[in-house]
Amino acid sequence: TKTQHKADTSADGEVKQEVEEGAETSPVVVKKPTKPKRKYKRKKLDDEEHEENKHISKSIQQRFGKNKKQQELAVIKHTKSDSVKIVNPDAHDNMIERAEELKGNKIYQVELRSDALLTAWKCALCHQRTCRESLGDLFGPYYVQAEEKHWPEFLTKKPAKMARGSSSLIDIWLHGACALWAPDIHMAGNQLENLEEKLNVFWGQSCFVCHQSGASIPVDGKFLHFPCAIKQQDIFLDEKLLACKRTSS
């Protein structure tokens, strides 16, 4: 006999089959509808990234955001002693604090350069090392262009292929007292003004006491180092004027 199959899908997704007489029987394959898989892994990554962004945003807001409770204007207050006191806004105090912190970091920051010739760890003026006698520590490194004409051989050897009249970058160290008594060298922030120009002059001057180069203190048309000056009984160092002169015999 021939039978006919009719497929009917119910509301719950189950397939019902009816067989009618006179239809040819054939296998019927019915596939149930599949639901799309959720991307749990991707959702988890998105949630983690969202939480991280929220944390970063909160940190930035706490550090740089404007606090409504902060005082925004300067206020003049009268004290009990009938004096006037100006109270700056919180934003002003925060700005001053950040500026001082930035300045402090800049002053104590050491800049190391790889393109400079390394020199001996001794003073570029008096030739002596750190903590000798009353000289104290060495400060540096500072970087200067050393001229070929008055090359400081006591610090480092002159490059073999150095052309006449040229210069090369070297690092140098100084005692605080030697730098203080050197004429025309002034501290500005973490730098010494006129250092390069004056060092090339001092390296061409010899001390009349020890006969070595780097003499910076002038006295009666001659020059001497600071350690040599303090050892001479007939030399007076005026600490108010930072000047050196001979005492009357």
Side-chain angles (χ1 to χ4, degrees), residues 136-158:
D137 293 331
L138 289 170
F139 295 90
Y142 299 99
Y143 296 93
V144 298
Q145 289 285 344
E147 297 176 356
E148 179 270 338
K149 184 179 181 180
H150 302 298
W151 186 266
E153 292 283 352
F154 67 96
L155 292 178
T156 184
K157 188 177 180 180
K158 183 191 297 187

mmCIF file with all atom_site columns, all heavy atoms in Angstrom, residues 136-158:
data_model
loop_
_atom_site.group_PDB
_atom_site.id
_atom_site.type_symbol
_atom_site.label_atom_id
_atom_site.label_alt_id
_atom_site.label_comp_id
_atom_site.label_asym_id
_atom_site.label_entity_id
_atom_site.label_seq_id
_atom_site.pdbx_PDB_ins_code
_atom_site.Cartn_x
_atom_site.Cartn_y
_atom_site.Cartn_z
_atom_site.occupancy
_atom_site.B_iso_or_equiv
_atom_site.pdbx_formal_charge
_atom_site.auth_seq_id
_atom_site.auth_comp_id
_atom_site.auth_asym_id
_atom_site.auth_atom_id
_atom_site.pdbx_PDB_model_num
ATOM 1   N N   . GLY A 1 136 ? 85.524 68.230 50.477 1.00 0.00 ? 136 GLY A N   1
ATOM 2   C CA  . GLY A 1 136 ? 84.188 67.645 50.397 1.00 0.00 ? 136 GLY A CA  1
ATOM 3   C C   . GLY A 1 136 ? 83.991 66.792 49.150 1.00 0.00 ? 136 GLY A C   1
ATOM 4   O O   . GLY A 1 136 ? 84.955 66.380 48.484 1.00 0.00 ? 136 GLY A O   1
ATOM 5   N N   . ASP A 1 137 ? 82.710 66.559 48.811 1.00 0.00 ? 137 ASP A N   1
ATOM 6   C CA  . ASP A 1 137 ? 82.362 65.674 47.702 1.00 0.00 ? 137 ASP A CA  1
ATOM 7   C C   . ASP A 1 137 ? 82.547 66.365 46.352 1.00 0.00 ? 137 ASP A C   1
ATOM 8   O O   . ASP A 1 137 ? 82.596 67.594 46.258 1.00 0.00 ? 137 ASP A O   1
ATOM 9   C CB  . ASP A 1 137 ? 80.908 65.205 47.825 1.00 0.00 ? 137 ASP A CB  1
ATOM 10  C CG  . ASP A 1 137 ? 80.705 64.296 49.022 1.00 0.00 ? 137 ASP A CG  1
ATOM 11  O OD1 . ASP A 1 137 ? 81.670 63.611 49.410 1.00 0.00 ? 137 ASP A OD1 1
ATOM 12  O OD2 . ASP A 1 137 ? 79.590 64.285 49.573 1.00 0.00 ? 137 ASP A OD2 1
ATOM 13  N N   . LEU A 1 138 ? 82.571 65.525 45.321 1.00 0.00 ? 138 LEU A N   1
ATOM 14  C CA  . LEU A 1 138 ? 82.564 66.012 43.944 1.00 0.00 ? 138 LEU A CA  1
ATOM 15  C C   . LEU A 1 138 ? 81.132 66.068 43.446 1.00 0.00 ? 138 LEU A C   1
ATOM 16  O O   . LEU A 1 138 ? 80.326 65.179 43.724 1.00 0.00 ? 138 LEU A O   1
ATOM 17  C CB  . LEU A 1 138 ? 83.395 65.102 43.039 1.00 0.00 ? 138 LEU A CB  1
ATOM 18  C CG  . LEU A 1 138 ? 84.912 65.155 43.222 1.00 0.00 ? 138 LEU A CG  1
ATOM 19  C CD1 . LEU A 1 138 ? 85.583 64.027 42.446 1.00 0.00 ? 138 LEU A CD1 1
ATOM 20  C CD2 . LEU A 1 138 ? 85.472 66.496 42.781 1.00 0.00 ? 138 LEU A CD2 1
ATOM 21  N N   . PHE A 1 139 ? 80.813 67.103 42.696 1.00 0.00 ? 139 PHE A N   1
ATOM 22  C CA  . PHE A 1 139 ? 79.479 67.266 42.124 1.00 0.00 ? 139 PHE A CA  1
ATOM 23  C C   . PHE A 1 139 ? 79.552 67.099 40.610 1.00 0.00 ? 139 PHE A C   1
ATOM 24  O O   . PHE A 1 139 ? 80.495 67.545 39.969 1.00 0.00 ? 139 PHE A O   1
ATOM 25  C CB  . PHE A 1 139 ? 78.909 68.646 42.468 1.00 0.00 ? 139 PHE A CB  1
ATOM 26  C CG  . PHE A 1 139 ? 78.661 68.836 43.940 1.00 0.00 ? 139 PHE A CG  1
ATOM 27  C CD1 . PHE A 1 139 ? 79.642 69.354 44.772 1.00 0.00 ? 139 PHE A CD1 1
ATOM 28  C CD2 . PHE A 1 139 ? 77.443 68.476 44.492 1.00 0.00 ? 139 PHE A CD2 1
ATOM 29  C CE1 . PHE A 1 139 ? 79.419 69.523 46.126 1.00 0.00 ? 139 PHE A CE1 1
ATOM 30  C CE2 . PHE A 1 139 ? 77.205 68.641 45.851 1.00 0.00 ? 139 PHE A CE2 1
ATOM 31  C CZ  . PHE A 1 139 ? 78.197 69.172 46.662 1.00 0.00 ? 139 PHE A CZ  1
ATOM 32  N N   . GLY A 1 140 ? 78.517 66.474 40.041 1.00 0.00 ? 140 GLY A N   1
ATOM 33  C CA  . GLY A 1 140 ? 78.481 66.251 38.605 1.00 0.00 ? 140 GLY A CA  1
ATOM 34  C C   . GLY A 1 140 ? 77.623 65.042 38.277 1.00 0.00 ? 140 GLY A C   1
ATOM 35  O O   . GLY A 1 140 ? 76.879 64.541 39.127 1.00 0.00 ? 140 GLY A O   1
ATOM 36  N N   . PRO A 1 141 ? 77.701 64.538 37.058 1.00 0.00 ? 141 PRO A N   1
ATOM 37  C CA  . PRO A 1 141 ? 78.592 65.072 36.019 1.00 0.00 ? 141 PRO A CA  1
ATOM 38  C C   . PRO A 1 141 ? 77.998 66.274 35.288 1.00 0.00 ? 141 PRO A C   1
ATOM 39  O O   . PRO A 1 141 ? 76.794 66.375 35.115 1.00 0.00 ? 141 PRO A O   1
ATOM 40  C CB  . PRO A 1 141 ? 78.733 63.892 35.060 1.00 0.00 ? 141 PRO A CB  1
ATOM 41  C CG  . PRO A 1 141 ? 77.428 63.162 35.193 1.00 0.00 ? 141 PRO A CG  1
ATOM 42  C CD  . PRO A 1 141 ? 76.998 63.317 36.615 1.00 0.00 ? 141 PRO A CD  1
ATOM 43  N N   . TYR A 1 142 ? 78.881 67.187 34.859 1.00 0.00 ? 142 TYR A N   1
ATOM 44  C CA  . TYR A 1 142 ? 78.533 68.267 33.949 1.00 0.00 ? 142 TYR A CA  1
ATOM 45  C C   . TYR A 1 142 ? 79.206 67.971 32.617 1.00 0.00 ? 142 TYR A C   1
ATOM 46  O O   . TYR A 1 142 ? 80.243 67.297 32.569 1.00 0.00 ? 142 TYR A O   1
ATOM 47  C CB  . TYR A 1 142 ? 79.000 69.620 34.495 1.00 0.00 ? 142 TYR A CB  1
ATOM 48  C CG  . TYR A 1 142 ? 78.369 69.983 35.819 1.00 0.00 ? 142 TYR A CG  1
ATOM 49  C CD1 . TYR A 1 142 ? 79.050 69.779 37.020 1.00 0.00 ? 142 TYR A CD1 1
ATOM 50  C CD2 . TYR A 1 142 ? 77.094 70.522 35.883 1.00 0.00 ? 142 TYR A CD2 1
ATOM 51  C CE1 . TYR A 1 142 ? 78.469 70.109 38.236 1.00 0.00 ? 142 TYR A CE1 1
ATOM 52  C CE2 . TYR A 1 142 ? 76.502 70.852 37.093 1.00 0.00 ? 142 TYR A CE2 1
ATOM 53  C CZ  . TYR A 1 142 ? 77.201 70.640 38.267 1.00 0.00 ? 142 TYR A CZ  1
ATOM 54  O OH  . TYR A 1 142 ? 76.615 70.958 39.468 1.00 0.00 ? 142 TYR A OH  1
ATOM 55  N N   . TYR A 1 143 ? 78.623 68.466 31.538 1.00 0.00 ? 143 TYR A N   1
ATOM 56  C CA  . TYR A 1 143 ? 79.132 68.168 30.198 1.00 0.00 ? 143 TYR A CA  1
ATOM 57  C C   . TYR A 1 143 ? 79.573 69.451 29.515 1.00 0.00 ? 143 TYR A C   1
ATOM 58  O O   . TYR A 1 143 ? 78.822 70.426 29.452 1.00 0.00 ? 143 TYR A O   1
ATOM 59  C CB  . TYR A 1 143 ? 78.059 67.449 29.374 1.00 0.00 ? 143 TYR A CB  1
ATOM 60  C CG  . TYR A 1 143 ? 77.686 66.100 29.941 1.00 0.00 ? 143 TYR A CG  1
ATOM 61  C CD1 . TYR A 1 143 ? 76.615 65.958 30.825 1.00 0.00 ? 143 TYR A CD1 1
ATOM 62  C CD2 . TYR A 1 143 ? 78.423 64.959 29.630 1.00 0.00 ? 143 TYR A CD2 1
ATOM 63  C CE1 . TYR A 1 143 ? 76.276 64.737 31.359 1.00 0.00 ? 143 TYR A CE1 1
ATOM 64  C CE2 . TYR A 1 143 ? 78.098 63.725 30.169 1.00 0.00 ? 143 TYR A CE2 1
ATOM 65  C CZ  . TYR A 1 143 ? 77.027 63.619 31.027 1.00 0.00 ? 143 TYR A CZ  1
ATOM 66  O OH  . TYR A 1 143 ? 76.711 62.390 31.563 1.00 0.00 ? 143 TYR A OH  1
ATOM 67  N N   . VAL A 1 144 ? 80.804 69.434 29.019 1.00 0.00 ? 144 VAL A N   1
ATOM 68  C CA  . VAL A 1 144 ? 81.364 70.612 28.354 1.00 0.00 ? 144 VAL A CA  1
ATOM 69  C C   . VAL A 1 144 ? 82.127 70.155 27.108 1.00 0.00 ? 144 VAL A C   1
ATOM 70  O O   . VAL A 1 144 ? 82.578 69.008 27.009 1.00 0.00 ? 144 VAL A O   1
ATOM 71  C CB  . VAL A 1 144 ? 82.315 71.391 29.282 1.00 0.00 ? 144 VAL A CB  1
ATOM 72  C CG1 . VAL A 1 144 ? 81.575 71.918 30.502 1.00 0.00 ? 144 VAL A CG1 1
ATOM 73  C CG2 . VAL A 1 144 ? 83.497 70.525 29.708 1.00 0.00 ? 144 VAL A CG2 1
ATOM 74  N N   . GLN A 1 145 ? 82.285 71.074 26.183 1.00 0.00 ? 145 GLN A N   1
ATOM 75  C CA  . GLN A 1 145 ? 83.117 70.841 25.001 1.00 0.00 ? 145 GLN A CA  1
ATOM 76  C C   . GLN A 1 145 ? 84.533 71.290 25.334 1.00 0.00 ? 145 GLN A C   1
ATOM 77  O O   . GLN A 1 145 ? 84.804 72.477 25.513 1.00 0.00 ? 145 GLN A O   1
ATOM 78  C CB  . GLN A 1 145 ? 82.571 71.624 23.807 1.00 0.00 ? 145 GLN A CB  1
ATOM 79  C CG  . GLN A 1 145 ? 81.266 71.107 23.243 1.00 0.00 ? 145 GLN A CG  1
ATOM 80  C CD  . GLN A 1 145 ? 81.445 69.828 22.429 1.00 0.00 ? 145 GLN A CD  1
ATOM 81  O OE1 . GLN A 1 145 ? 82.563 69.463 22.031 1.00 0.00 ? 145 GLN A OE1 1
ATOM 82  N NE2 . GLN A 1 145 ? 80.340 69.137 22.182 1.00 0.00 ? 145 GLN A NE2 1
ATOM 83  N N   . ALA A 1 146 ? 85.443 70.327 25.462 1.00 0.00 ? 146 ALA A N   1
ATOM 84  C CA  . ALA A 1 146 ? 86.837 70.638 25.775 1.00 0.00 ? 146 ALA A CA  1
ATOM 85  C C   . ALA A 1 146 ? 87.587 70.933 24.475 1.00 0.00 ? 146 ALA A C   1
ATOM 86  O O   . ALA A 1 146 ? 87.574 70.133 23.538 1.00 0.00 ? 146 ALA A O   1
ATOM 87  C CB  . ALA A 1 146 ? 87.494 69.475 26.510 1.00 0.00 ? 146 ALA A CB  1
ATOM 88  N N   . GLU A 1 147 ? 88.250 72.093 24.439 1.00 0.00 ? 147 GLU A N   1
ATOM 89  C CA  . GLU A 1 147 ? 88.961 72.499 23.237 1.00 0.00 ? 147 GLU A CA  1
ATOM 90  C C   . GLU A 1 147 ? 90.311 71.803 23.130 1.00 0.00 ? 147 GLU A C   1
ATOM 91  O O   . GLU A 1 147 ? 90.970 71.518 24.138 1.00 0.00 ? 147 GLU A O   1
ATOM 92  C CB  . GLU A 1 147 ? 89.152 74.016 23.245 1.00 0.00 ? 147 GLU A CB  1
ATOM 93  C CG  . GLU A 1 147 ? 87.848 74.795 23.217 1.00 0.00 ? 147 GLU A CG  1
ATOM 94  C CD  . GLU A 1 147 ? 88.060 76.298 23.312 1.00 0.00 ? 147 GLU A CD  1
ATOM 95  O OE1 . GLU A 1 147 ? 89.240 76.711 23.485 1.00 0.00 ? 147 GLU A OE1 1
ATOM 96  O OE2 . GLU A 1 147 ? 87.076 77.049 23.229 1.00 0.00 ? 147 GLU A OE2 1
ATOM 97  N N   . GLU A 1 148 ? 90.716 71.556 21.913 1.00 0.00 ? 148 GLU A N   1
ATOM 98  C CA  . GLU A 1 148 ? 91.983 70.867 21.654 1.00 0.00 ? 148 GLU A CA  1
ATOM 99  C C   . GLU A 1 148 ? 93.171 71.676 22.134 1.00 0.00 ? 148 GLU A C   1
ATOM 100 O O   . GLU A 1 148 ? 94.193 71.124 22.565 1.00 0.00 ? 148 GLU A O   1
ATOM 101 C CB  . GLU A 1 148 ? 92.080 70.589 20.144 1.00 0.00 ? 148 GLU A CB  1
ATOM 102 C CG  . GLU A 1 148 ? 93.356 69.895 19.703 1.00 0.00 ? 148 GLU A CG  1
ATOM 103 C CD  . GLU A 1 148 ? 94.473 70.906 19.349 1.00 0.00 ? 148 GLU A CD  1
ATOM 104 O OE1 . GLU A 1 148 ? 94.121 72.069 19.059 1.00 0.00 ? 148 GLU A OE1 1
ATOM 105 O OE2 . GLU A 1 148 ? 95.652 70.513 19.384 1.00 0.00 ? 148 GLU A OE2 1
ATOM 106 N N   . LYS A 1 149 ? 93.053 73.006 22.106 1.00 0.00 ? 149 LYS A N   1
ATOM 107 C CA  . LYS A 1 149 ? 94.175 73.891 22.450 1.00 0.00 ? 149 LYS A CA  1
ATOM 108 C C   . LYS A 1 149 ? 94.615 73.707 23.896 1.00 0.00 ? 149 LYS A C   1
ATOM 109 O O   . LYS A 1 149 ? 95.817 73.681 24.190 1.00 0.00 ? 149 LYS A O   1
ATOM 110 C CB  . LYS A 1 149 ? 93.771 75.343 22.197 1.00 0.00 ? 149 LYS A CB  1
ATOM 111 C CG  . LYS A 1 149 ? 94.885 76.342 22.433 1.00 0.00 ? 149 LYS A CG  1
ATOM 112 C CD  . LYS A 1 149 ? 94.407 77.746 22.130 1.00 0.00 ? 149 LYS A CD  1
ATOM 113 C CE  . LYS A 1 149 ? 95.520 78.765 22.350 1.00 0.00 ? 149 LYS A CE  1
ATOM 114 N NZ  . LYS A 1 149 ? 95.067 80.151 22.057 1.00 0.00 ? 149 LYS A NZ  1
ATOM 115 N N   . HIS A 1 150 ? 93.658 73.588 24.821 1.00 0.00 ? 150 HIS A N   1
ATOM 116 C CA  . HIS A 1 150 ? 93.987 73.411 26.245 1.00 0.00 ? 150 HIS A CA  1
ATOM 117 C C   . HIS A 1 150 ? 93.322 72.144 26.769 1.00 0.00 ? 150 HIS A C   1
ATOM 118 O O   . HIS A 1 150 ? 92.538 72.180 27.720 1.00 0.00 ? 150 HIS A O   1
ATOM 119 C CB  . HIS A 1 150 ? 93.541 74.627 27.054 1.00 0.00 ? 150 HIS A CB  1
ATOM 120 C CG  . HIS A 1 150 ? 94.130 75.918 26.620 1.00 0.00 ? 150 HIS A CG  1
ATOM 121 N ND1 . HIS A 1 150 ? 95.496 76.172 26.657 1.00 0.00 ? 150 HIS A ND1 1
ATOM 122 C CD2 . HIS A 1 150 ? 93.563 77.056 26.117 1.00 0.00 ? 150 HIS A CD2 1
ATOM 123 C CE1 . HIS A 1 150 ? 95.739 77.390 26.224 1.00 0.00 ? 150 HIS A CE1 1
ATOM 124 N NE2 . HIS A 1 150 ? 94.574 77.953 25.879 1.00 0.00 ? 150 HIS A NE2 1
ATOM 125 N N   . TRP A 1 151 ? 93.633 71.023 26.134 1.00 0.00 ? 151 TRP A N   1
ATOM 126 C CA  . TRP A 1 151 ? 92.989 69.765 26.503 1.00 0.00 ? 151 TRP A CA  1
ATOM 127 C C   . TRP A 1 151 ? 93.418 69.327 27.905 1.00 0.00 ? 151 TRP A C   1
ATOM 128 O O   . TRP A 1 151 ? 94.611 69.311 28.223 1.00 0.00 ? 151 TRP A O   1
ATOM 129 C CB  . TRP A 1 151 ? 93.347 68.676 25.504 1.00 0.00 ? 151 TRP A CB  1
ATOM 130 C CG  . TRP A 1 151 ? 92.601 67.394 25.754 1.00 0.00 ? 151 TRP A CG  1
ATOM 131 C CD1 . TRP A 1 151 ? 93.041 66.322 26.483 1.00 0.00 ? 151 TRP A CD1 1
ATOM 132 C CD2 . TRP A 1 151 ? 91.284 67.077 25.321 1.00 0.00 ? 151 TRP A CD2 1
ATOM 133 N NE1 . TRP A 1 151 ? 92.077 65.341 26.522 1.00 0.00 ? 151 TRP A NE1 1
ATOM 134 C CE2 . TRP A 1 151 ? 90.985 65.786 25.810 1.00 0.00 ? 151 TRP A CE2 1
ATOM 135 C CE3 . TRP A 1 151 ? 90.329 67.754 24.573 1.00 0.00 ? 151 TRP A CE3 1
ATOM 136 C CZ2 . TRP A 1 151 ? 89.769 65.167 25.571 1.00 0.00 ? 151 TRP A CZ2 1
ATOM 137 C CZ3 . TRP A 1 151 ? 89.119 67.132 24.328 1.00 0.00 ? 151 TRP A CZ3 1
ATOM 138 C CH2 . TRP A 1 151 ? 88.859 65.851 24.822 1.00 0.00 ? 151 TRP A CH2 1
ATOM 139 N N   . PRO A 1 152 ? 92.460 68.935 28.788 1.00 0.00 ? 152 PRO A N   1
ATOM 140 C CA  . PRO A 1 152 ? 92.790 68.506 30.159 1.00 0.00 ? 152 PRO A CA  1
ATOM 141 C C   . PRO A 1 152 ? 93.307 67.069 30.193 1.00 0.00 ? 152 PRO A C   1
ATOM 142 O O   . PRO A 1 152 ? 92.543 66.124 30.430 1.00 0.00 ? 152 PRO A O   1
ATOM 143 C CB  . PRO A 1 152 ? 91.456 68.651 30.896 1.00 0.00 ? 152 PRO A CB  1
ATOM 144 C CG  . PRO A 1 152 ? 90.420 68.434 29.837 1.00 0.00 ? 152 PRO A CG  1
ATOM 145 C CD  . PRO A 1 152 ? 90.990 68.988 28.568 1.00 0.00 ? 152 PRO A CD  1
ATOM 146 N N   . GLU A 1 153 ? 94.580 66.908 29.986 1.00 0.00 ? 153 GLU A N   1
ATOM 147 C CA  . GLU A 1 153 ? 95.174 65.560 29.954 1.00 0.00 ? 153 GLU A CA  1
ATOM 148 C C   . GLU A 1 153 ? 95.047 64.841 31.295 1.00 0.00 ? 153 GLU A C   1
ATOM 149 O O   . GLU A 1 153 ? 95.059 63.611 31.342 1.00 0.00 ? 153 GLU A O   1
ATOM 150 C CB  . GLU A 1 153 ? 96.642 65.656 29.560 1.00 0.00 ? 153 GLU A CB  1
ATOM 151 C CG  . GLU A 1 153 ? 96.895 66.094 28.122 1.00 0.00 ? 153 GLU A CG  1
ATOM 152 C CD  . GLU A 1 153 ? 96.660 64.970 27.126 1.00 0.00 ? 153 GLU A CD  1
ATOM 153 O OE1 . GLU A 1 153 ? 96.451 63.818 27.573 1.00 0.00 ? 153 GLU A OE1 1
ATOM 154 O OE2 . GLU A 1 153 ? 96.715 65.241 25.905 1.00 0.00 ? 153 GLU A OE2 1
ATOM 155 N N   . PHE A 1 154 ? 94.949 65.587 32.399 1.00 0.00 ? 154 PHE A N   1
ATOM 156 C CA  . PHE A 1 154 ? 94.837 64.953 33.716 1.00 0.00 ? 154 PHE A CA  1
ATOM 157 C C   . PHE A 1 154 ? 93.465 64.303 33.923 1.00 0.00 ? 154 PHE A C   1
ATOM 158 O O   . PHE A 1 154 ? 93.285 63.508 34.850 1.00 0.00 ? 154 PHE A O   1
ATOM 159 C CB  . PHE A 1 154 ? 95.110 65.974 34.822 1.00 0.00 ? 154 PHE A CB  1
ATOM 160 C CG  . PHE A 1 154 ? 94.074 67.062 34.949 1.00 0.00 ? 154 PHE A CG  1
ATOM 161 C CD1 . PHE A 1 154 ? 93.045 66.968 35.870 1.00 0.00 ? 154 PHE A CD1 1
ATOM 162 C CD2 . PHE A 1 154 ? 94.127 68.178 34.129 1.00 0.00 ? 154 PHE A CD2 1
ATOM 163 C CE1 . PHE A 1 154 ? 92.093 67.965 35.984 1.00 0.00 ? 154 PHE A CE1 1
ATOM 164 C CE2 . PHE A 1 154 ? 93.184 69.184 34.236 1.00 0.00 ? 154 PHE A CE2 1
ATOM 165 C CZ  . PHE A 1 154 ? 92.158 69.088 35.166 1.00 0.00 ? 154 PHE A CZ  1
ATOM 166 N N   . LEU A 1 155 ? 92.490 64.638 33.064 1.00 0.00 ? 155 LEU A N   1
ATOM 167 C CA  . LEU A 1 155 ? 91.160 64.044 33.164 1.00 0.00 ? 155 LEU A CA  1
ATOM 168 C C   . LEU A 1 155 ? 90.985 62.869 32.208 1.00 0.00 ? 155 LEU A C   1
ATOM 169 O O   . LEU A 1 155 ? 90.454 61.824 32.590 1.00 0.00 ? 155 LEU A O   1
ATOM 170 C CB  . LEU A 1 155 ? 90.089 65.095 32.876 1.00 0.00 ? 155 LEU A CB  1
ATOM 171 C CG  . LEU A 1 155 ? 89.935 66.222 33.900 1.00 0.00 ? 155 LEU A CG  1
ATOM 172 C CD1 . LEU A 1 155 ? 88.875 67.217 33.455 1.00 0.00 ? 155 LEU A CD1 1
ATOM 173 C CD2 . LEU A 1 155 ? 89.602 65.677 35.282 1.00 0.00 ? 155 LEU A CD2 1
ATOM 174 N N   . THR A 1 156 ? 91.412 63.029 30.982 1.00 0.00 ? 156 THR A N   1
ATOM 175 C CA  . THR A 1 156 ? 91.286 61.965 29.983 1.00 0.00 ? 156 THR A CA  1
ATOM 176 C C   . THR A 1 156 ? 92.264 62.219 28.838 1.00 0.00 ? 156 THR A C   1
ATOM 177 O O   . THR A 1 156 ? 92.649 63.375 28.590 1.00 0.00 ? 156 THR A O   1
ATOM 178 C CB  . THR A 1 156 ? 89.844 61.885 29.440 1.00 0.00 ? 156 THR A CB  1
ATOM 179 O OG1 . THR A 1 156 ? 89.731 60.781 28.545 1.00 0.00 ? 156 THR A OG1 1
ATOM 180 C CG2 . THR A 1 156 ? 89.446 63.154 28.705 1.00 0.00 ? 156 THR A CG2 1
ATOM 181 N N   . LYS A 1 157 ? 92.629 61.182 28.165 1.00 0.00 ? 157 LYS A N   1
ATOM 182 C CA  . LYS A 1 157 ? 93.583 61.295 27.064 1.00 0.00 ? 157 LYS A CA  1
ATOM 183 C C   . LYS A 1 157 ? 92.917 61.929 25.854 1.00 0.00 ? 157 LYS A C   1
ATOM 184 O O   . LYS A 1 157 ? 91.763 61.654 25.537 1.00 0.00 ? 157 LYS A O   1
ATOM 185 C CB  . LYS A 1 157 ? 94.117 59.911 26.705 1.00 0.00 ? 157 LYS A CB  1
ATOM 186 C CG  . LYS A 1 157 ? 95.262 59.928 25.706 1.00 0.00 ? 157 LYS A CG  1
ATOM 187 C CD  . LYS A 1 157 ? 95.772 58.516 25.473 1.00 0.00 ? 157 LYS A CD  1
ATOM 188 C CE  . LYS A 1 157 ? 96.919 58.527 24.460 1.00 0.00 ? 157 LYS A CE  1
ATOM 189 N NZ  . LYS A 1 157 ? 97.432 57.151 24.218 1.00 0.00 ? 157 LYS A NZ  1
ATOM 190 N N   . LYS A 1 158 ? 93.662 62.776 25.180 1.00 0.00 ? 158 LYS A N   1
ATOM 191 C CA  . LYS A 1 158 ? 93.130 63.441 23.996 1.00 0.00 ? 158 LYS A CA  1
ATOM 192 C C   . LYS A 1 158 ? 92.908 62.412 22.877 1.00 0.00 ? 158 LYS A C   1
ATOM 193 O O   . LYS A 1 158 ? 93.749 61.543 22.647 1.00 0.00 ? 158 LYS A O   1
ATOM 194 C CB  . LYS A 1 158 ? 94.092 64.520 23.507 1.00 0.00 ? 158 LYS A CB  1
ATOM 195 C CG  . LYS A 1 158 ? 93.577 65.321 22.316 1.00 0.00 ? 158 LYS A CG  1
ATOM 196 C CD  . LYS A 1 158 ? 94.674 66.195 21.711 1.00 0.00 ? 158 LYS A CD  1
ATOM 197 C CE  . LYS A 1 158 ? 95.158 67.229 22.686 1.00 0.00 ? 158 LYS A CE  1
ATOM 198 N NZ  . LYS A 1 158 ? 96.116 68.179 22.034 1.00 0.00 ? 158 LYS A NZ  1
#
